[in-house]
Amino acid sequence: MDDYDVTTLALINYFCQERYFNHVQITANEGLKKYGNDPVYIFFRAYGTLMEGRIQEAIQEIDVIKDRSDFSLCSLMTLIYAYRKSSNPDREAIQELEAKLKEERKSAGPKALYFAGLLLWHLGRHDKARDYIDRMIKISNGAKEGLTLKGWIDLTCGKEAYAKKAVKYFDEGMQSEKDIFAVMGKARYFEMRRNYSGAVDTVNHIIVNVPGFLPAFVMKMKLQLALQDWEQAVETAQRLLQKDSHNFEALQILALYSLCREGSVTEAANRIGDLIVALDHFEPHNAELFYKMALAFSRACGRKQQVLQQTQTLVERAVSLDSNNSELATELGYQMVLQGKMKEALKCYKTAMKLDETSVSAFTGIIRCQLFEGQEEEAEQQLEFLSEVQQSIGKSGELSYLHAILAIKKQKGQDEIVNLLSDAVDTHFSSLHGLPLGVQYLEKLNPDFLLEVIKEYINFCPTQSPSSGHASSGLLRHCTSVLETMVKIVPGLLEAIFLMAKVKYFAGDIEAAQSSLQHCIEQNSSYPDAHLLMAQVYLSQRNYKLCSHSLELCLSYSFEVQEHPLYHLIKAQLQKKLGEVQEAIKILQMAMNFPEVKRVRSATKSSNKKITVSMFDRVSIYLELADAHSINGEQHEAAKVMQDAIIEFSGTSEELRITIANADLALMQGDTELALSMLRNIMPEQPYFIQAKQKMADIYLHHRKDKRLYLSCYRDLVDKVPDSHTYLLLGDAYMNIQEPEKAIEVYDQALKKTPKDGTLASKIGKALVKTHNYNKAVNYYESAVKNGQQNFLRYDLAELLLKLKHYEKAEKILQQALHSETGNDLPVLMENSRYFILLAKIYKKMENIEESISYLQQGREVQARVLKKVQLEQPSIAPAQKQFAAEICAEIANHFTTQRDYEQAIKFYKEALVYCETDNKVMLELARLYLAQDDINACQHQCALILKNDADNEAATMMMADIMFRKQDYEQAIYHVQQLLENKPDNYPILSRLIDLLRRAGKLEDVFRFLEVTEKHSSRANLDPGFNYCKGLYLWYTGQPNDALRHFNKARKDSDWGQNAVYNMIEICLNPDNDTIGGELFENIDGDIGNSTEKHESEQLAVRTAEKLLKELKPQTVQGHVQLRIMQNYCLLATKQKTNVEQALNAFTNIATAEKDHVPALLGMATAYMILKQTPRARNQLKRICKMNWNAIDAEEFEKSWLLLADVYIQNGKYDMAEELLRRCLRHNRSCCKAYEYMGYIMEKEQGYRDAALNYEMAWKFGNQTNPTIGYKLAFNYLKAKRYVDAIDICHRVLTTHPNYPKMRKDILDKARAALRA
C-alpha cells in the first residue's frame, strides 16, 4: 500500500478503537471512491455496518470478499460474529463457518493472519489476536506491520507485563516517520506510562509529517489536558475545529472548558447543543457514544438546568437506540435524580432492574430514591442486602454515603455518621488513583456527588471560628482538602467555591472566605446564599454598612430568604451591633416562631424542603435573644429564654454551648464565681470542653488577674486532652504572659506529636526570635530544613538571616530552595515567587542593585504565572496574590525611581495598579513621579482618585496643593493645606509644607498667623521640636539666620525633626546671607567688603561648626548617605582652598556618574568649577540642569543652579538669557530675594532705574529689610529715579543698623537731600 493507504488505514483503526462506527464506514467509502473495490475498505465498511447492528447488510458486504485469500479469515470471523449477534442465530451455519475457519487457518498467509488479528483486536479479543499476529510475524520473518500491531495488542490488553514491552515492537515495526499507526502507538505507550511530555513530542512529529491526520490533534489535546494545561488544550481544540467543524472531542473539550473553568453555563449548554447536532449527523446510531458524552457534563454542572436538559437529551437518545441496555436506563434515572425528579428516577431504576437483575448501580439508585421519599425502613433493608453483596463486588463510595444519609435520618451518633461520610470520600477518591486530568477523570471525580457529601459533612463541622493561630477542626480540614481538589479541577463550579467560603469562614479564615464569596458574586450577582454568608463575613469584620447592603441584596434576589431563620439571625445580630437592641429582639422573636427553630426534630422533618437550619444556628437564635434581653436590662426574660434553650437542646451536642453562654450571662452580671462553677461542670469527654477551659482561663486572667490559675486551665487541658492543639494553646498562653522560654518547651512537645505541623514549627522559630535567642533560632531552622520535614521554613530562616545581616547565608538558603522546588504546581510557584522577592531584598542590602532588580523581575514573571493559575485553582487567595504582585511591581518601580529612570518607574507603578486598583500608596508614588515629570494633569488625576477613596489623605492633599502652586493658583494651593491644619493645628509636617508654599507664593507674612494659631492651640508648642523646626524655617526664609539657628538647634536632637534641622543649620553656617556660592558678579562689586579679614575668619569658623554638625548625621537610607556626602563636599567647597575644592569636585563627579541626573551633585560640580575659575565647564553642568524638569525634592538646588547660571550670563552681558532664568526662579519661588536682586542689577545696567528700584524693593522686602547691600542698591536707584524721599528713608533704615556702611551718606543721602532742597 502507498502512504495514503497507510494513513487511511490508521484513521480507520483509530475510529474502530474509539468505536465511531459510522466514521469507519464514511472513511471506508472515501477509500473505495479513490481506489475502486479495494477489499480492505469493503471489509471495514462491512465491519462498521455490523457494529451498528445492521447485520444483514454486513453479511452481504462480507460475502463479496470472503473468497479472497487475504481476507478469508477475517471474513469468516466477521460472519460468525454476525450470525451470533442476530436475534435468531443459525447454529448450523455458525458450525459450518467455524469448521471452514479451522481449515483456512492452516494454509493462511501473512496478510490473512494480519487482518484476522486486526479484527480480533478491534473486537477486544487480545489473547486470540496475539496468537494470529505471532504466527504472522513468524512466517513473514518479522513483518513490520505485524510488529506494530503486536505492540498495539500488548499495549491495550490491560496486562502490565505485556504493556511494558509494547514500545519495543513499535520501534521495530516503524517503517518511517510517516508510519502513523506505529508513531501513534508509541505516543499512546508514553501516555500510559504517564510520560505526557514525551507523548506530546511524539504526536507533534505526526502533526508535522502528516498535518491532515486529525486523531493526532485529538490525542495532543487530551495530553495537554493530562498536563493540566487547559489553555493549550483549548487552543488545540479550536485548531481542530478549523479543520473539522464537527469534531466530537474538540466540541466536548470546549464545552467542558466553558463549564468547568469559566463557569459559563449558557455557553456550555450551547456547545453541548452543537455536539448533539454533530452526533446526530455523524454517529446517529451510536448509543454508547451518546451515553458517554453526557457523563462528564451532568456530573460537573452543579445541577444547572440548562446543561441537564442537554445531557438528558443525550441519554434519552442513547436509550432510544438501545432500549434493552440496563446501564443506559440507570443513567437516565441518575439524570432524573440530578433534576430532583425522584418519581421518574425510580421508574427508570426499576426498568433497569428488569433488564438486568444484577445491576448494583440500578439497585443503589432505587435506595437513593427511597431515602429521599422518606422510606427509611425499605431503604435500610435494601442497604443491608447490598452491604453483603459489596464484599464480593468491592467497596463503593456511594453506598457509604447512603449509609450515612440513613444514619442521619435515624438520628445516629455524630461519630458514626462522620466515619461513614469519610469512608465515602476516601473510597470515592481511591477510584481516581492514577487517572490523569481528562474527560474520564471528571466523570469519576463526579463533583456533584462530592458536593452532596460535603454538604452533609459541613452540618457536623464546628461553626465557631477557632482563635487566631490555632488549628481548625479535623472535619473542617477534611472538607477543605476535598473542596480544594474540586475548586482546582472545576473552578467554574460556584457551589464548590461557595462551600469553600463557608468552610473558611467556620475555620476563622475570614479574608479567604470573603475572597471566595466575592468571586461567587462576581460570577453570579444573584446568588442569595453568597450574599447571606457575605453579610456574616462583614458582620464579623464590624463592617455594618456593607453587612446591611449584603442582606438587602440577598432579599432583592430571593424573597424566600425572609422565611429563612438564618437571615433573621444575621439581621438581628446587625441591629444589636448598631445599638438597636429593641429591634433585634423583635427580629429574633419573629425567628423563634419559624417551625425550623422551635422543634427539636425540625431539621429531619424539613430536610426534604429547601429550608434547612443547622442546630448551631437554632441555638444561636436562642442565645442572641437571651443576650439582647440581657443588654436591654430584661434579666428575667433573658433567664427564661436560656431555660427554654436548655430544655429544647437537652441531650444534644449543643447543650454545653448553652452552658457556656449561661456562664457569659453570669459574667455580665459580675458573678464570676457562678460562671466558673458552670464551666467546671463540663467534662473532658464532652463537646466544648476546650472552649469551656479557654473561657475559664480568660476569667482568671482578665477578671481575677491570676496568671497562675490562667496557666493551670491550659495545663489541665493538656493533661485531659493531650494532643498537639492543646499543647499549642498552652504554648500560646505562655506567650500571652510574656514567658516565651516556657512556650518554646511546650511547642517542642507539640511538634513531636505532629512533626509535619508547619504552624507549630513556625511558632517555635518566632518564639526563639522573640526571646532574642537568634543563634538558637537559626540553629533550629537549619536543623528543621536539614531534616527535610519543614522545607517551607527556609523562607523564615532566610528572613531571620537577613535581619541578622548574614546576607551570604540567606542567599545560599534561598538559592538552594529555588533549585530544589521546581515544577509548575501552584504551591511551588507561590513559594518560588516569595523566594525571588526575598533574594531581591538581600541583594539590595548588599548594594547589588542589578541583581536585586533581576530577581524582582524573575519574581514578577513567576507571580504572573501564579495569578494565571490561582484564578482557576484557588480563587479564594487570588486577592492576596494580586496584592503581592502589586508589591513586586511597586518595588521594581521604586528601584527605577532611585535610579531616576522615571519612565520605567511609571510603567511598573501602573502595572501595580492593574493588580490592585485602590492601593493609595502606589497611587501616591505614581502621582509623585508625574509631578517630578511635570505632568501636572496626570498627577492631579491620581490625587483626585486617592482623595475620592480617602478624603483626609494628607499626602494627596499636599500634592494637590503643589499642583495648584505649579498652576500658579496660590489661593487654592494654600486652601488645601489650610484644610488639614484646621483639623489639627499642631500637625507640624503639614505646617512646614505650608510655610514652604507661602514662601513660594510670596506670602511669607501670612506664616506668622499660623504659628500664632498653633501656639494658642497647645501651651507646650514652644517646647515642641516640630514647632521649633517650623519657626526656624520661617526665620531662615525671612533673612534672620541667627534666630533660625537657635530654633533649629532646639529641634536638633529630635528623632523626627533632627536630621532636617541639622542639614538646615549646616546650610545656614555655610551661607548665612543666602549668597550665590560660586557667583562672581556681586563678589566683584562688593569686593572691598568680601575680602575683609574679619569676614574670612567668620566664614572659616562657620565651616568648622558645619563640620561638627555633620558628625551628628546618621542616615538610614541609601539616599540619606548620598545627601550626607553632598553636604560634606559642600563644606570642602566653603573653605575655598584649591585642594579641598578639587577633592569635592571628584566626589561630586562620582555621585553624578552613579546617580543619573542628580541635581545636587551637578550643582556641586558647577560650583566647584566656578571657584576654580573654570566657567565654561560650570556653564555646561548648569545648562544640563536647566533642561531637567523641576521637582519639589530638588527645588532649592534648581533655584541655586538657575541663579548661578544667571550670574554667569550677566557677567557675559547676556541679559535676556539671564532674565529668562530669573523669571523661572520667581515662577517657582516668588520670595526669591536673590532673583529680584539680579533683576534689579540688569535693569540698573540698562539704566531702567524705576524698574530696577521695583525689583530691589522686592529683594529688600523678602530679605526682611536687613541686608545693607540691597538697601544701598535700592536707595541708589530711588535717587536715580528721582524718588528722593524714598531714597532718604531707605538710607536712614540702613544706617540705623549699619551706621558705618560705606558710601551710603556721601553718595546717596547727601545727594538726595541736596536734590530735595533744589
Side-chain angles (χ1 to χ4, degrees):
M1 289 184 185
D2 58 28
D3 285 349
Y4 180 83
D5 295 317
V6 171
T7 303
T8 308
L9 193 56
L11 191 59
I12 288 171
N13 283 324
Y14 169 79
F15 290 140
C16 288
Q17 282 297 296
E18 292 296 316
R19 304 182 67 76
Y20 292 178
F21 299 120
N22 196 52
H23 278 69
V24 172
Q25 295 168 66
I26 291 166
T27 311
N29 282 330
E30 285 172 0
L32 287 167
K33 278 180 190 174
K34 187 156 189 177
Y35 295 104
N37 290 327
D38 191 316
V40 173
Y41 300 121
I42 293 170
F43 167 69
F44 275 113
R45 184 171 67 184
Y47 174 73
T49 308
L50 174 62
M51 296 309 284
E52 279 192 341
R54 304 203 311 275
I55 296 167
Q56 287 308 314
E57 280 183 51
I59 291 170
Q60 288 170 11
E61 291 268 13
I62 290 295
D63 281 339
V64 175
I65 58 166
K66 68 179 180 183
D67 295 327
R68 299 217 182 179
S69 58
D70 289 346
F71 296 92
S72 58
L73 289 180
C74 64
S75 297
L76 289 168
M77 286 177 185
T78 306
L79 288 169
I80 292 166
Y81 183 82
Y83 282 124
R84 282 180 178 162
K85 201 177 176 184
S86 61
S87 52
N88 295 307
D90 187 338
R91 304 285 177 199
E92 286 181 20
I94 291 169
Q95 284 175 0
E96 191 181 318
L97 287 166
E98 283 175 342
K100 194 173 181 185
L101 179 63
K102 259 185 189 177
E103 286 300 313
E104 289 285 342
R105 194 162 49 202
K106 291 173 186 174
S107 58
K111 274 198 176 180
L113 292 167
Y114 175 80
F115 284 113
L118 189 61
L119 173 65
L120 289 166
W121 173 54
H122 287 318
L123 291 171
R125 297 177 64 186
H126 293 87
D127 292 337
K128 200 75 178 165
R130 191 179 293 107
D131 290 343
Y132 275 84
I133 293 303
D134 282 344
R135 192 173 158 203
M136 177 259 180
I137 291 166
K138 190 177 178 182
I139 65 170
S140 65
N141 295 320
K144 287 186 180 291
E145 60 266 31
L147 290 166
T148 299
L149 183 53
K150 183 169 183 179
W152 273 107
I153 293 164
D154 285 354
L155 188 65
T156 55
C157 69
K159 295 175 184 175
E160 181 66 15
Y162 284 112
K164 275 183 183 178
K165 299 173 186 174
V167 72
K168 173 188 149 193
Y169 296 117
F170 290 131
D171 285 334
E172 289 175 3
M174 199 176 298
Q175 297 175 44
S176 72
E177 286 189 349
K178 291 188 179 182
D179 186 350
I180 299 169
F181 196 41
V183 181
M184 281 288 280
K186 199 169 179 180
R188 185 61 59 84
Y189 170 82
F190 285 136
E191 183 187 9
M192 288 182 76
R193 307 307 294 176
R194 297 186 198 170
N195 179 2
Y196 303 121
S197 300
V200 169
D201 291 341
T202 308
V203 169
N204 281 337
H205 280 298
I206 301 173
I207 291 169
V208 169
N209 291 312
V210 191
F213 189 70
L214 298 189
F217 288 92
V218 173
M219 192 174 186
K220 182 179 179 178
M221 179 176 67
K222 289 178 178 177
L223 288 166
Q224 285 165 337
L225 206 51
L227 288 164
Q228 300 189 22
D229 192 339
W230 272 99
E231 283 73 18
Q232 289 293 321
V234 166
E235 193 181 310
T236 306
Q238 287 165 343
R239 194 174 161 195
L240 194 50
L241 286 174
Q242 286 172 356
K243 293 173 177 287
D244 174 12
S245 60
H246 302 290
N247 188 277
F248 304 152
E249 288 92 344
L251 289 168
Q252 185 184 33
I253 292 298
L254 289 177
L256 282 172
Y257 181 77
S258 298
L259 188 64
C260 300
R261 305 300 284 184
E262 295 185 326
S264 177
V265 175
T266 305
E267 191 177 338
N270 291 338
R271 288 191 183 281
I272 299 168
D274 294 341
L275 178 60
I276 293 170
V277 170
L279 287 168
D280 279 339
H281 194 267
F282 292 99
E283 285 293 333
H285 309 295
N286 200 328
E288 184 184 2
L289 190 56
F290 277 100
Y291 157 71
K292 281 186 174 178
M293 285 292 177
L295 300 180
F297 297 123
S298 58
R299 281 141 182 83
C301 71
R303 303 201 176 188
K304 292 290 183 289
Q305 200 58 38
Q306 282 175 280
V307 175
L308 289 175
Q309 283 171 359
Q310 299 283 36
T311 56
Q312 184 183 334
T313 301
L314 283 164
V315 178
E316 283 174 345
R317 203 71 53 89
V319 170
S320 68
L321 290 168
D322 189 359
S323 56
N324 295 320
N325 190 319
S326 169
E327 193 178 0
L328 302 185
T330 303
E331 179 57 29
L332 188 57
Y334 188 61
Q335 293 288 324
M336 297 302 166
V337 167
L338 292 174
Q339 294 177 67
K341 300 174 181 176
M342 288 299 170
K343 288 180 181 175
E344 291 91 332
L346 191 58
K347 283 181 190 173
C348 293
Y349 286 133
K350 284 180 177 176
T351 303
M353 286 298 290
K354 283 178 189 173
L355 293 169
D356 180 6
E357 292 177 359
T358 64
S359 173
V360 174
S361 53
F363 197 30
T364 307
I366 289 170
I367 296 168
R368 179 192 276 268
C369 294
Q370 288 171 337
L371 282 170
F372 188 87
E373 295 292 328
Q375 300 168 18
E376 283 106 356
E377 298 304 321
E378 294 93 326
E380 188 171 16
Q381 290 171 13
Q382 307 276 30
L383 274 170
E384 281 174 15
F385 171 71
L386 206 54
S387 296
E388 289 175 20
V389 174
Q390 192 184 45
Q391 293 172 3
S392 60
I393 61 168
K395 286 179 81 174
S396 154
E398 190 172 7
L399 203 56
S400 297
Y401 168 69
L402 293 175
H403 273 295
I405 296 298
L406 180 64
I408 292 165
K409 299 264 186 187
K410 294 274 184 181
Q411 296 187 11
K412 295 286 180 72
Q414 178 176 327
D415 289 346
E416 182 185 341
I417 296 167
V418 167
N419 288 336
L420 284 166
L421 290 170
S422 297
D423 192 48
V425 170
D426 295 342
T427 307
H428 185 76
F429 273 108
S430 67
S431 67
L432 295 169
H433 184 69
L435 268 182
L437 178 62
V439 176
Q440 192 186 359
Y441 182 90
L442 287 167
E443 291 167 17
K444 297 274 186 187
L445 179 68
N446 194 347
D448 188 87
F449 171 72
L450 287 173
L451 285 177
E452 284 189 285
V453 177
I454 291 300
K455 281 178 202 168
E456 298 300 339
Y457 233 130
I458 285 175
N459 290 331
F460 298 98
C461 289
T463 49
Q464 267 188 322
S465 303
S467 40
S468 179
H470 296 158
S472 57
S473 129
L475 291 176
L476 288 172
R477 288 198 297 275
H478 203 105
C479 286
T480 303
S481 171
V482 174
L483 287 166
E484 277 177 351
T485 302
M486 288 174 67
V487 170
K488 183 180 178 182
I489 302 298
V490 195
L493 188 55
L494 285 191
E495 194 173 2
I497 296 171
F498 169 73
L499 290 174
M500 175 69 92
K502 206 169 188 178
V503 169
K504 292 288 184 188
Y505 174 72
F506 290 160
D509 191 348
I510 303 298
E511 282 188 16
Q514 186 177 358
S515 177
S516 293
L517 289 169
Q518 200 61 51
H519 179 77
C520 288
I521 292 164
E522 282 170 10
Q523 296 297 309
N524 178 9
S525 59
S526 60
Y527 196 158
D529 289 350
H531 286 295
L532 201 57
L533 185 55
M534 186 65 101
Q536 287 178 284
V537 166
Y538 286 136
L539 190 63
S540 68
Q541 294 174 333
R542 300 181 182 178
N543 195 334
Y544 305 133
K545 189 178 177 183
L546 287 175
C547 173
S548 177
H549 181 61
S550 288
L551 287 171
E552 285 168 14
L553 284 171
C554 182
L555 187 60
S556 69
Y557 289 122
S558 172
F559 286 115
E560 289 175 6
V561 82
Q562 287 184 107
E563 297 171 18
H564 204 306
L566 181 59
Y567 171 78
H568 291 276
L569 173 61
I570 300 164
K571 195 173 179 183
Q573 287 170 330
L574 173 63
Q575 292 302 319
K576 199 172 79 173
K577 294 287 184 187
L578 293 170
E580 301 287 338
V581 180
Q582 198 61 49
E583 184 64 25
I585 290 169
K586 280 183 191 174
I587 294 166
L588 288 163
Q589 284 171 339
M590 198 188 300
M592 291 285 279
N593 293 324
F594 285 112
E596 292 85 5
V597 176
K598 274 273 183 181
R599 291 191 293 278
V600 175
R601 288 181 178 79
S602 62
T604 56
K605 286 183 181 176
S606 65
S607 60
N608 293 343
K609 298 177 188 176
K610 268 192 172 182
I611 297 173
T612 56
V613 187
S614 70
M615 193 183 292
F616 180 89
D617 289 333
R618 291 172 57 223
V619 171
S620 295
I621 291 168
Y622 278 89
L623 298 185
E624 286 291 340
L625 182 56
D627 188 47
H629 279 309
S630 180
I631 292 168
N632 213 33
E634 301 163 355
Q635 303 305 330
H636 177 72
E637 290 295 324
K640 190 182 169 191
V641 172
M642 291 302 286
Q643 196 58 42
D644 288 347
I646 290 166
I647 294 164
E648 183 81 10
F649 298 99
S650 177
T652 70
S653 59
E654 293 294 304
E655 182 184 8
L656 296 171
R657 188 168 151 230
I658 297 163
T659 305
I660 293 170
N662 250 331
D664 277 332
L665 210 59
L667 209 56
M668 280 175 73
Q669 293 164 4
D671 196 342
T672 54
E673 193 50 52
L674 178 60
L676 287 166
S677 66
M678 286 179 184
L679 295 167
R680 285 190 195 106
N681 290 328
I682 299 174
M683 296 293 108
E685 63 277 1
Q686 292 177 301
Y688 293 101
F689 172 67
I690 292 174
Q691 287 90 327
K693 278 290 178 186
Q694 284 179 283
K695 180 68 71 180
M696 285 174 72
D698 187 64
I699 293 168
Y700 285 129
L701 185 65
H702 296 110
H703 295 269
R704 294 273 185 92
K705 310 294 180 188
D706 191 330
K707 290 183 180 179
R708 185 180 59 80
L709 286 173
Y710 167 73
L711 284 172
S712 72
C713 289
Y714 288 106
R715 287 201 198 99
D716 191 37
L717 255 182
V718 168
D719 291 339
K720 300 287 193 329
V721 189
D723 62 17
S724 61
H725 178 49
T726 54
Y727 273 101
L728 186 59
L729 290 173
L730 177 57
D732 287 355
Y734 276 119
M735 290 295 284
N736 285 342
I737 59 169
Q738 306 301 314
E739 292 189 24
E741 292 85 359
K742 289 182 179 175
I744 291 163
E745 290 174 23
V746 175
Y747 288 146
D748 256 330
Q749 287 173 283
L751 195 61
K752 284 171 187 170
K753 290 184 173 292
T754 51
K756 292 190 177 180
D757 190 331
T759 310
L760 274 168
S762 188
K763 274 181 179 286
I764 294 169
K766 283 168 185 172
L768 286 164
V769 170
K770 197 166 186 179
T771 60
H772 303 291
N773 201 339
Y774 299 120
N775 288 333
K776 194 171 179 184
V778 168
N779 291 337
Y780 164 73
Y781 280 132
E782 284 178 344
S783 171
V785 169
K786 198 173 181 181
N787 292 338
Q789 295 173 325
Q790 309 291 353
N791 278 343
F792 61 89
L793 291 178
R794 283 174 169 160
Y795 186 89
D796 289 357
L797 172 57
E799 202 169 36
L800 177 58
L801 290 168
L802 174 60
K803 283 177 186 172
L804 297 174
K805 299 185 178 178
H806 297 168
Y807 303 134
E808 287 78 11
K809 266 189 170 183
E811 179 197 3
K812 188 179 176 185
I813 293 286
L814 292 171
Q815 292 289 9
Q816 285 173 348
L818 284 167
H819 284 115
S820 65
E821 293 190 24
T822 54
N824 204 34
D825 291 336
L826 183 58
V828 172
L829 290 174
M830 283 163 63
E831 278 303 304
N832 285 350
S833 182
R834 291 173 74 221
Y835 293 152
F836 279 124
I837 303 316
L838 192 54
L839 263 170
K841 286 180 185 174
I842 291 164
Y843 284 119
K844 188 178 180 182
K845 288 285 183 185
M846 294 165 77
E847 296 185 11
N848 188 343
I849 302 302
E850 281 187 20
E851 280 295 298
S852 180
I853 291 178
S854 168
Y855 277 101
L856 279 170
Q857 291 282 21
Q858 288 179 66
R860 172 175 159 264
E861 287 167 14
V862 172
Q863 193 62 18
R865 289 163 66 195
V866 167
L867 290 177
K868 202 172 180 183
K869 278 180 161 285
V870 82
Q871 293 283 11
L872 299 171
E873 295 179 17
Q874 273 182 272
S876 63
I877 62 166
Q881 291 304 315
K882 282 184 177 179
Q883 181 63 46
F884 187 49
E887 286 167 16
I888 294 169
C889 292
E891 188 57 35
I892 296 170
N894 186 35
H895 271 290
F896 283 119
T897 304
T898 307
Q899 294 174 356
R900 296 173 182 260
D901 188 345
Y902 296 135
E903 284 184 15
Q904 281 295 311
I906 287 169
K907 174 190 163 187
F908 283 102
Y909 277 132
K910 279 183 174 178
E911 190 176 322
L913 288 174
V914 169
Y915 298 125
C916 198
E917 291 175 11
T918 56
D919 191 323
N920 282 354
K921 194 178 173 186
V922 172
M923 290 163 85
L924 267 173
E925 292 301 327
L926 185 56
R928 283 194 185 103
L929 281 177
Y930 282 135
L931 203 57
Q933 293 277 76
D934 217 24
D935 190 344
I936 305 297
N937 293 332
C939 178
Q940 190 170 354
H941 175 68
Q942 288 299 322
C943 290
L945 288 174
I946 297 165
L947 292 169
K948 188 180 177 184
N949 299 327
D950 178 11
D952 299 323
N953 191 294
E954 286 186 8
T957 305
M958 287 308 304
M959 218 173 295
M960 279 296 250
D962 270 341
I963 292 164
M964 294 302 133
F965 168 74
R966 297 219 190 168
K967 289 185 171 182
Q968 297 185 10
D969 188 347
Y970 302 113
E971 296 298 326
Q972 273 296 309
I974 293 162
Y975 168 77
H976 279 290
V977 186
Q978 277 179 313
Q979 290 289 97
L980 293 173
L981 276 178
E982 277 174 16
N983 298 331
K984 195 180 177 190
D986 59 352
N987 188 335
Y988 297 119
I990 299 299
L991 182 57
S992 68
R993 290 288 291 114
L994 177 62
I995 292 168
D996 186 59
L997 273 175
L998 288 168
R999 172 202 174 203
R1000 294 185 177 282
K1003 296 187 175 186
L1004 273 169
E1005 63 274 10
D1006 292 350
V1007 173
F1008 197 71
R1009 176 167 58 90
F1010 289 102
L1011 291 172
E1012 277 186 331
V1013 171
T1014 306
E1015 283 185 275
K1016 284 176 187 174
H1017 175 75
S1018 171
S1019 58
R1020 297 180 59 83
N1022 284 314
L1023 301 172
D1024 194 295
F1027 178 79
N1028 279 292
Y1029 179 84
C1030 292
K1031 195 157 186 181
L1033 272 185
Y1034 168 66
L1035 292 165
W1036 185 21
Y1037 292 156
T1038 53
Q1040 302 170 67
N1042 293 330
D1043 289 337
L1045 274 173
R1046 195 170 66 254
H1047 281 85
F1048 283 139
N1049 193 47
K1050 289 179 183 178
R1052 179 174 139 212
K1053 300 294 182 185
D1054 184 68
S1055 57
D1056 293 327
W1057 298 98
Q1059 294 279 303
N1060 285 340
V1062 171
Y1063 275 120
N1064 291 347
M1065 289 172 77
I1066 293 166
E1067 287 208 41
I1068 292 170
C1069 288
L1070 297 178
N1071 188 11
D1073 298 324
N1074 205 18
D1075 291 329
T1076 307
I1077 307 292
E1080 297 175 353
L1081 180 67
F1082 296 132
E1083 192 176 308
N1084 295 336
I1085 294 165
D1086 305 319
D1088 53 332
I1089 301 165
N1091 293 330
S1092 69
T1093 308
E1094 188 184 332
K1095 186 173 181 183
H1096 181 71
E1097 285 176 2
S1098 170
E1099 285 175 354
Q1100 293 310 308
L1101 178 64
V1103 170
R1104 287 196 292 274
T1105 307
E1107 286 169 349
K1108 282 180 187 174
L1109 288 168
L1110 277 169
K1111 289 173 184 174
E1112 294 182 15
L1113 293 168
K1114 300 282 186 272
Q1116 301 298 315
T1117 63
V1118 174
Q1119 285 305 307
H1121 282 285
V1122 174
Q1123 190 182 2
L1124 178 59
R1125 282 176 66 198
I1126 293 284
M1127 200 53 78
Q1128 285 168 340
N1129 288 290
Y1130 271 118
C1131 282
L1132 291 174
L1133 290 182
T1135 64
K1136 306 280 180 76
Q1137 293 171 10
K1138 189 179 179 186
T1139 51
N1140 287 346
V1141 173
E1142 286 173 347
Q1143 185 184 331
L1145 178 60
N1146 287 335
F1148 287 133
T1149 306
N1150 291 336
I1151 294 167
T1153 306
E1155 304 262 345
K1156 184 186 174 188
D1157 293 342
H1158 195 279
V1159 179
L1162 294 171
L1163 173 61
M1165 288 171 68
T1167 308
Y1169 283 131
M1170 288 299 291
I1171 294 168
L1172 294 169
K1173 307 296 181 186
Q1174 297 178 25
T1175 306
R1177 289 186 174 182
R1179 189 170 57 239
N1180 290 339
Q1181 299 304 326
L1182 294 168
K1183 281 181 176 179
R1184 187 173 161 192
I1185 295 169
C1186 286
K1187 289 174 184 174
M1188 295 179 199
N1189 289 325
W1190 182 90
N1191 65 74
I1193 297 165
D1194 297 323
E1196 298 300 323
E1197 283 75 17
F1198 273 109
E1199 188 176 299
K1200 288 172 186 174
S1201 303
W1202 297 334
L1203 289 171
L1204 185 53
L1205 186 55
D1207 189 292
V1208 172
Y1209 284 147
I1210 292 166
Q1211 286 189 77
N1212 293 332
K1214 297 177 179 177
Y1215 295 146
D1216 291 346
M1217 294 171 81
E1219 275 188 64
E1220 189 188 327
L1221 287 166
L1222 295 169
R1223 284 197 189 95
R1224 196 187 297 186
C1225 273
L1226 292 170
R1227 196 162 58 246
H1228 288 92
N1229 181 6
R1230 286 191 169 188
S1231 300
C1232 184
C1233 184
K1234 213 70 188 170
Y1236 287 119
E1237 189 180 353
Y1238 278 118
M1239 286 290 272
Y1241 178 82
I1242 293 169
M1243 301 303 168
E1244 188 182 337
K1245 282 290 178 188
E1246 291 177 342
Q1247 297 184 2
Y1249 299 117
R1250 287 180 183 279
D1251 291 334
L1254 287 172
N1255 282 289
Y1256 282 131
E1257 264 177 31
M1258 299 303 284
W1260 179 245
K1261 175 190 170 184
F1262 291 115
N1264 203 31
Q1265 302 182 358
T1266 56
N1267 190 322
T1269 307
I1270 295 173
Y1272 175 86
K1273 292 173 183 175
L1274 176 58
F1276 177 79
N1277 280 278
Y1278 276 153
L1279 179 68
K1280 288 287 187 181
K1282 298 181 181 180
R1283 291 171 63 180
Y1284 305 123
V1285 175
D1286 292 332
I1288 292 165
D1289 182 42
I1290 296 297
C1291 286
H1292 284 309
R1293 289 192 197 182
V1294 173
L1295 291 169
T1296 302
T1297 52
H1298 299 82
N1300 299 316
Y1301 193 81
K1303 300 180 183 178
M1304 180 64 89
R1305 287 180 188 280
K1306 185 182 175 184
D1307 287 0
I1308 302 172
L1309 185 59
D1310 294 345
K1311 286 180 180 179
R1313 282 173 176 168
L1316 269 177
R1317 289 191 194 105

